[in-house]
Each structure stands twice: as C-alpha cells, then as structure tokens.
Amino acid sequence: MADFPRLAATAAAIRQGKVSPIEVTRHCLDRVARLDGRLRAFITVDADRALGAARRLEEEAGRGQWRGALHGVPVAFKDLCVIRGLPTSCGTRTADYFTAEQECTAASRLLAAGAVCLGKLNMTELAMGALGDNPHHGHARNPWAVEHCTGGSSSGSGVAVAAGLALGAIGTDTGGSIRLPAAACGITGLKPTYGRVSRAGAMALSWSNDHLGPMARAAHDCALMLQVMAGPDPLDATASARPPDDYVAALDGPVRGLRVGVPRNFFFQGLDVEMEAAVRQAVATLATLGARVEEIHLPDPQVLNDITGLVSRSESTALHGGLLRERPHELGAFTRARLELGLSVPAHDYLQALRLRARLARTFTREVWSEVDVLAVPVIPEPAPPLRAALEGPLEEIVARQGRFSRLTRPFNGLGLPALSLPCGFSTGGLPLAFQLVGRPFDEATVLRLGHAYQRATDWHTREPDLA
C-alpha cells in the first residue's frame, strides 16, 4: 500500500476487493508503531480492538455484507470524543476527565458506517490553545518540520492524517481548532455549520461556538465523512433538524459562475508574504475554473473576534471551573490563565455579547451573502512557527501570540458558518500554506464542491512529508 492512502479511494478499493480491512488497519498501526514515538499524535492506541474490528469487517465483506460507506477504513478520534472502552482525557492529566452516558454521536456514526477506530488523538489541554502544545502528553509534532507547531487544538488529528497514521479523524473547532492544524499540517479540514454535526458525547469547551467536523487529506474525503456524521440527533438540542445534503453526489457539480468574495479588509492585513502570495494564487486558480472573483468589504471581523473570545472565555470557565477551583495545580499555565480570565467576565457583558453576535450574523447575511456565494481567505497569518519560540516569554505574550495565530478563523465560529481549510502551497522553508473557503449556513455542499474542483486542478493536497 501507499504510505499515505486517501480515505475515499481506500473505501472504494475495499469495496472492489483490491485491499482488505485487515491490510489497511495493519498498515496504519505499523506506521503508528514506527512514527508516533516521535510525532505524538496519539494519546491512546487501541491496536487489539482495531484489528479485531477489521477481521469482523473483512469477514462481513467476504459475505457481501457492507455496513456503510466507510467499511474497513481506519480512523481516529480527538480525545474529547467518548468511545466505549477508552479513556477520555481531553488532553488533561486525568485519564477519564470527561464522561458521558452516550458515546460521541459523530464517532458512533462513523463506526456504524464501518470505520475502524485506531484510538484517541492528542490535543491541547481542554481544547484551549492554537499551537498544538500539551504539557501532559507531549507536544504533537508537525510531520513537515518536527520543531514547528502543528496548530491546535486538534493537533493529533492534523498530525495523524498528515503522517498517514489514520486516513481520517474527527476534530473540533471553537476558534479554529480544525482549520488551524489542517493548515499547519497540510491537510484538508472542514468546520461545518453550527448544528450540522451533533456535539453529543464530546466534551464542550464553549457550547455556543463548538463545532465537530472531519479532517482528511482531501475535500472528497471530508465530504464522505460529513455525509455519515451529519444530521439531526435527539441527544443534542443544538443539532439542526434540517436533513443533510448529499455532499458526495454534489462534488462534481459545476462551479462556473460561483461568486467568490475576497475581502478588502482584515484578512489580508499583516500576512506573511509567502502566505499572501499563495492564497491569492489559489483565488486566481478558482477564477480559471470559472468562478467570478469579486472584492468585498466585510462587517468588521475584529468585532466578531472580540465577541467570540469573550463568549468562549465565559462558557469554558462555566464548564471547567471546577477543575480550576479544585485542582488548579494539574493545569498547564496557559490553560489555567485562560480559565481565570473567564472568572472576570460579568454576566452583563456575556449576555450583551450574545445579543451583538446575533445582530452581526444578521448583518453578515444581509451585506455579504447577497453579494457573493463563498468567501476565500487565509487560515493562518504565517507558516507554522517554531513551537519553542511560540511558547517562550511571559504568559501575556503567549496568550497574545495564540490569539494572533487564530485571528483569521475565529470570526466564522461566532457566525457558525461552514469553512473548509485547503492546502495551497509551501513556504521556501517547506512548510504548508493554506486558505479557507467559507459558505452560507448549511451550504457545505457548495464549499466542498469548490474545494474539490480546486484540488482537481492542483496537487498541493497530494504532497507527502518525508518521514523516513
């Protein structure tokens, strides 16, 4: 097998009898055993159960029994997803920090569709942090340059897919935590619309900003995963009752005539030179595919950033304040500082932020989506920086640094919009560059279709890190 097989292609190959679930699962587990001591993508590897599941799936395939679209495909889950029989540390020192009566709905749906669970993936502590560091389980390492940050908080998810340790992964995104590691690690990651994928059975960080979504090598892979994960869920009151689209069938639809908005304000300010050039070249490629590229002025994204940050701080402290009060010595310095900030937010400010967020969402709909169909903007302002340097200095500087690294993703959490991170080049230092396509609420189909068309016209998503 190839060292970096694609999820959708592997699912098709298993159906065609070209490769077996056992073969694919062993391939991934062998790579985990060989590489993860250096990369630290996993917190828990569930090798025995994974092989047992692969054997059952292979037997079923031999009888012509297929569980679903992911039959025999090995995936892994961020360690805030509850999986029966596995601990859920949420990146903390406590192995079973988070418990729930129900298994994570999104993960359960992937497993019911035939996916093989390889284990639980590394993450920043309590999903707080944009860089991918973890003081308890070790810092996840970027496969393209191990001394550089992976992006967070779904750091292990980004690393596992980029290094070929898993064919797909679940990530979560409260301020960019799917898109940041996807961008830093050179893979594809989708933050769906708020409510499109159930949050049941996954630790919450900020209940009104959290999104679960797929991370894989290509838009086609993410569409296949989303097709399985999406939909109403009686276990999650915030899950939308709206039926999901057929994301896979829509991939090959036309993109000619789609209006792609490129903001004049905020998103291209203070960018690394190579990042800006790569993103603008990606936009030019979309134009060659028939998209109509138009400049547009957005309602001030910095206001959205400020509101989203305030709401996240308040809700995360409400959820995890017990750990802060009872066992503060178990927390890393950055996580403790973030939780302490939430204690100082007055209820009045939190409620006003919620009101203003709703008003800004209406303004965005009126002023933006009447003019364009999709936005194209950078994901991160610079290639992944050296991790050691990013974690140096006073705590206030580290907090500010993390905020700057995620400033281009947070606005779309506050708005709850679907956003797809796509590789679009490499820096002269060999680090991935990326842009994101952002769509209307519940219009993942258009975002994925345009992303798929871009990836058919380019090969950035097929590049592989040298891990010899």
Side-chain angles (χ1 to χ4, degrees):
M1 296 186 58
D3 283 345
F4 299 86
R6 284 263 309 278
L7 181 143
T10 300
I14 290 172
R15 285 271 178 164
Q16 296 160 6
K18 295 179 179 178
V19 67
S20 74
I22 292 177
E23 183 181 357
V24 181
T25 301
R26 281 183 174 153
H27 172 82
C28 288
L29 289 172
D30 287 347
R31 288 184 67 79
V32 172
R34 181 163 60 88
L35 298 171
D36 200 51
R38 176 160 48 115
L39 297 177
R40 297 177 179 171
F42 280 82
I43 290 177
T44 304
V45 179
D46 199 17
D48 290 342
R49 288 207 306 173
L51 287 170
R55 290 188 190 97
R56 290 190 294 276
L57 290 160
E58 187 162 325
E59 291 169 0
E60 292 170 10
R63 297 192 296 268
Q65 299 172 342
W66 300 95
R67 297 194 189 184
L70 297 177
H71 193 102
V73 176
V75 299
F77 306 120
K78 186 174 182 178
D79 196 30
L80 51 62
C81 298
V82 172
I83 305 295
R84 292 187 187 91
L86 294 179
T88 307
S89 76
C90 305
T92 68
R93 282 174 51 182
T94 306
D96 276 311
Y97 173 76
F98 179 69
T99 59
E101 292 183 4
Q102 71 275 4
E103 193 170 57
C104 173
T105 296
S108 294
R109 289 177 175 175
L110 293 177
L111 296 174
V116 175
C117 173
L118 298 173
K120 307 288 283 296
L121 295 164
N122 204 353
M123 56 181 285
T124 57
E125 186 178 29
L126 291 181
M128 292 185 181
L131 301 176
D133 54 301
N134 187 292
H136 311 299
H137 301 283
H139 306 326
R141 298 295 180 177
N142 195 317
W144 295 96
V146 293
E147 298 305 321
H148 287 248
C149 81
T150 61
S153 63
S154 306
S155 50
S157 301
V159 174
V161 172
L165 310 184
L167 276 61
I170 283 181
T172 64
D173 195 312
T174 304
S177 292
I178 287 173
R179 292 160 290 156
L180 297 174
C185 294
I187 66 166
T188 305
L190 174 68
K191 180 192 82 65
T193 306
Y194 183 80
R196 178 68 295 170
V197 175
S198 171
R199 297 183 299 108
M203 182 208 78
L205 175 63
S206 170
W207 58 83
S208 67
N209 287 317
D210 290 349
H211 304 65
L212 272 71
M215 301 174 68
R217 291 187 63 80
H220 187 180
D221 304 333
C222 288
L224 186 58
M225 291 180 69
L226 181 66
Q227 194 73 62
V228 174
M229 296 164 64
D233 181 14
L235 298 175
D236 178 8
T238 67
S240 173
R242 177 173 176 160
D245 296 323
D246 190 336
Y247 306 110
V248 176
L251 284 175
D252 293 323
V255 299
R256 181 169 297 279
L258 280 178
R259 299 169 301 168
V260 176
V262 178
R264 289 188 292 267
N265 58 320
F266 187 79
F267 283 96
F268 288 88
Q269 296 168 3
L271 279 191
D272 170 85
V273 173
E274 291 184 299
M275 185 68 75
E276 179 170 1
V279 173
R280 293 198 182 278
Q281 180 56 51
V283 172
T285 299
L286 297 178
T288 67
L289 298 174
R292 290 165 43 195
V293 176
E294 306 172 11
E295 286 196 346
I296 188 170
H297 185 89
L298 299 181
D300 189 359
Q302 186 56 55
V303 176
L304 276 165
N305 265 349
D306 295 341
I307 290 170
T308 304
L310 187 149
V311 170
S312 290
R313 286 194 298 273
S314 302
E315 294 179 353
S316 61
T317 303
L319 288 163
H320 303 289
L323 180 58
L324 176 65
R325 291 188 301 271
E326 297 163 15
R327 305 192 305 277
H329 59 281
E330 294 185 6
L331 292 166
F334 177 78
T335 305
R336 187 167 62 248
R338 281 278 305 271
L339 290 173
E340 288 172 347
L341 281 174
L343 295 173
S344 63
V345 178
H348 171 272
D349 290 355
Y350 171 71
L351 294 172
Q352 287 290 80
L354 293 179
R355 290 179 60 192
L356 182 54
R357 182 175 66 178
R359 186 187 310 164
L360 288 171
R362 292 192 295 270
T363 301
F364 206 89
T365 296
R366 183 176 64 251
E367 297 183 4
V368 176
W369 300 129
S370 61
E371 299 293 327
V372 299
D373 302 305
V374 177
L375 295 173
V377 297
V379 182
I380 49 180
E382 60 182 337
L387 183 59
R388 178 177 294 180
L391 297 176
E392 285 180 346
L395 193 58
E396 295 77 10
E397 289 185 13
I398 298 172
V399 171
R401 203 174 289 138
Q402 300 227 25
R404 287 193 298 271
F405 195 65
S406 60
R407 70 181 181 87
L408 306 178
T409 52
R410 282 198 309 278
F412 305 119
N413 291 86
L415 294 169
L417 299 174
L420 179 71
S421 175
L422 301 155
C424 65
F426 288 87
S427 71
T428 53
L431 292 163
L433 306 172
F435 76 117
Q436 57 182 326
L437 297 173
V438 184
R440 292 184 176 89
F442 298 101
D443 196 14
E444 287 84 3
T446 297
V447 168
L448 287 163
R449 184 169 81 248
L450 187 56
H452 180 59
Y454 174 78
Q455 290 186 327
R456 284 190 298 181
T458 62
D459 69 351
W460 302 117
H461 65 292
T462 69
R463 306 291 180 92
E464 301 169 356
D466 182 3
L467 294 168

